[in-house]
Amino acid sequence: MDTVFPALLTMVLLVVIRMRFSGAVQLVLSVLTMVYLGADYLENAFVAGLLRTDPAALTVSDVRVASAATITKYAALLPCLIAALVTYVQ
């Protein structure tokens, strides 16, 4: 599920962005959508690595990297979701 959902959400957002926006706004939102996709898959990989690691061997740095991917994912996703929702509310 966590490998399919990010790709499907990205495809839906890109379709909405391409249909409802143009120019620089379309470009920025499209790039943010792709950043979301990459960050989501990176987050999944980092969390999987954390889960496979012996708890005694975990470092603060490992957790920070996974956390940074999560923050990046949502920071990129939120403007895209807001933009998509605003176009359908109007």
Side-chain angles (χ1 to χ4, degrees):
M1 177 70 173
D2 213 29
T3 55
V4 175
F5 179 77
L8 289 176
L9 179 57
T10 297
M11 288 188 315
V12 168
L13 285 172
L14 286 174
V15 167
V16 170
I17 289 165
R18 304 251 169 167
M19 290 175 56
R20 299 288 185 157
F21 297 96
S22 62
V25 173
Q26 183 186 69
L27 177 64
V28 169
L29 291 173
S30 295
V31 168
L32 283 173
T33 302
M34 298 308 294
V35 168
Y36 153 75
L37 180 64
D40 197 331
Y41 285 138
L42 280 175
E43 176 197 33
N44 293 345
F46 289 133
V47 169
L50 292 174
L51 292 172
R52 286 191 302 267
T53 303
D54 180 352
L58 284 176
T59 66
V60 172
S61 177
D62 295 336
V63 176
R64 280 190 183 139
V65 170
S67 178
T70 303
I71 292 167
T72 301
K73 172 179 86 170
Y74 285 114
L77 178 61
L78 192 58
C80 299
L81 287 177
I82 290 170
L85 289 172
V86 165
T87 64
Y88 283 100
V89 170
Q90 294 178 345

